[in-house]
Amino acid sequence: MSVRWVLDRFTSMRVFEQAATRGSLSAAARHLGISPTMATKHIDALEARFGVKLLHRTTRQLTLTDAGSEYLQACQRILQELDEAESEIQAQRHDAVGRLRMNVPLSFGTRFIAPLLPNFSRRYPLIEIELGLSDQQQNLLQDRWDLIIRIGHLVDSSLKARRLGNCPMKVCASPDYLQKHGIPRRVEELSGHNCLSYTLSPLQGNGSWLFGVGGEIKVPVKGNLQADNGDALLAAAIHGQGVIYQPNFIVSDALANQSLVALELDHPLVDLGGLHVLFAPDRRLPLKVRAMIDYLVEVFSDTNHDV
């Protein structure tokens, strides 16, 4: 199906709809800015495609056939929907309106993004937000997200990104656990502890935890709990089950109220690579997308901000 064929079909529908409502092909042609001859060709093409007469044409008037009456109703409905869709798309060039689909890591989105949305909605009341919360990697283009927030090093060079801040890691355990099992001071000592691992992290896969600036130090660990959600590991650690290796935003409240203790080890923790908002590389982003990007950058205004 060629693009030209589709465009001609919609033009033919408009010619037919105008001719039927205005009562003549010449009036329809004047309204649409085409010649009467071209208007006649559009009607002839429609009738040839359907194999039925849509209009009874005389030198004085046009009247609809039964098939023409049914087709007119369909044309009016389809053309109205098309006009409304085009108006909505054009409005997005000038106004921040429409549905904004954004995907965010589960725990981060619950803690940091969801509380920001009421103020955003007050600023932009015509934007409807669909918030997806998932720790699984999402494909922005294939899954049709407008924005994705990612924590870690960026590998998809086809997307544009704005850095929102840093995301430092912490190794933590509860005071009760440390009192019973001792406080590890060296990363190698973690091999003798119950290490609760996050299954979606490259830092904690295959029975080992990585340390060092570039993850060059590999420490074998074992534990009786693995999970694909940081909050599940947090709850277990708070209740004394073991040691966790999680981003600061997961454990910061527990560290503040001293239900967890951050361990001081002899090697640095791996740098996750920061917090970024990713979006399509289009030159003309819809204003709804640009509005959210600017808002997030404003909120996380300091590029060295730790979350």
Side-chain angles (χ1 to χ4, degrees), residues 88-97 100 141 146-147 160 279-291 293:
E88 290 178 3
I89 297 300
Q90 290 172 353
Q92 291 185 25
R93 296 179 56 191
H94 307 287
D95 300 295
V97 301
L100 175 71
L141 300 178
D146 295 303
L147 295 171
K160 288 189 175 181
F279 49 97
D282 301 337
R283 291 184 178 180
R284 297 181 179 178
L285 282 176
L287 288 186
K288 62 182 181 180
V289 177
R290 203 170 287 282
I293 294 171

Side-chain angles (χ1 to χ4, degrees), residues 11-154:
T11 302
S12 297
M13 292 173 67
R14 289 196 185 278
V15 171
F16 172 76
E17 188 264 344
Q18 288 296 315
T21 55
R22 294 177 184 273
S24 75
L25 281 171
S26 58
R30 285 194 300 271
H31 178 75
L32 296 172
I34 61 176
S35 68
T37 300
M38 182 57 68
T40 300
K41 288 182 178 180
H42 277 290
I43 299 301
D44 290 343
L46 284 175
E47 292 180 334
R49 182 179 299 121
F50 298 139
V52 297
K53 278 285 187 182
L54 300 175
L55 296 169
H56 293 302
R57 288 175 269 180
T58 68
T59 56
R60 294 187 177 182
Q61 66 178 0
L62 295 177
T63 57
L64 290 167
T65 65
D66 290 343
S69 296
E70 293 182 11
Y71 188 58
L72 176 60
Q73 294 179 16
C75 286
Q76 289 173 332
R77 182 183 70 254
I78 292 170
L79 292 173
Q80 181 180 356
E81 291 177 354
L82 179 63
D83 289 339
E84 290 174 354
E86 289 178 347
S87 296
E88 290 178 3
I89 297 300
Q90 290 172 353
Q92 291 185 25
R93 296 179 56 191
H94 307 287
D95 300 295
V97 301
R99 177 177 291 239
L100 175 71
R101 302 185 71 242
M102 58 187 299
N103 188 274
V104 185
L106 176 57
S107 297
F108 180 82
T110 302
R111 285 172 168 81
F112 284 86
I113 299 302
L116 300 177
L117 298 183
N119 186 51
F120 179 84
S121 293
R122 283 189 287 269
R123 287 193 191 183
Y124 302 101
L126 299 181
I127 296 179
E128 177 185 347
I129 299 171
E130 179 183 340
L131 182 64
L133 297 168
S134 173
D135 288 338
Q136 299 286 345
Q137 287 286 336
Q138 302 287 311
N139 186 298
L140 184 141
L141 300 178
Q142 291 181 6
D143 298 329
R144 302 179 68 181
W145 297 105
D146 295 303
L147 295 171
I148 285 179
I149 291 180
R150 282 186 181 161
I151 298 170
H153 295 282
L154 300 180

Side-chain angles (χ1 to χ4, degrees), residues 165-286:
N166 302 322
C167 192
M169 296 290 289
K170 303 285 185 181
V171 176
C172 308
S174 70
D176 180 59
Y177 175 89
L178 296 175
Q179 184 177 7
K180 291 180 180 178
H181 301 281
I183 301 175
R185 304 293 184 184
R186 297 180 295 119
V187 294
E188 290 83 358
E189 295 175 21
L190 292 172
S191 297
H193 285 265
N194 194 41
C195 294
L196 315 180
S197 294
Y198 178 58
T199 57
L200 299 180
S201 172
L203 307 182
Q204 303 175 39
N206 300 319
S208 62
W209 286 2
L210 303 184
F211 295 91
V213 175
E216 64 276 7
I217 301 171
K218 187 174 183 179
V219 178
V221 297
K222 59 183 182 298
N224 59 7
L225 174 64
Q226 295 184 349
D228 62 359
N229 177 260
D231 280 313
L233 299 173
L234 172 67
I238 288 174
H239 287 85
Q241 187 168 348
V243 182
I244 57 172
Y245 189 4
Q246 286 291 297
N248 181 69
F249 71 83
I250 294 280
V251 300
S252 57
D253 289 343
L255 293 174
N257 63 30
Q258 299 182 342
S259 56
L260 287 182
V261 176
L263 303 181
E264 299 292 335
L265 299 169
D266 60 340
H267 289 285
L269 309 187
V270 174
D271 178 11
L272 276 183
L275 174 72
H276 296 84
V277 55
L278 279 65
F279 49 97
D282 301 337
R283 291 184 178 180
R284 297 181 179 178
L285 282 176

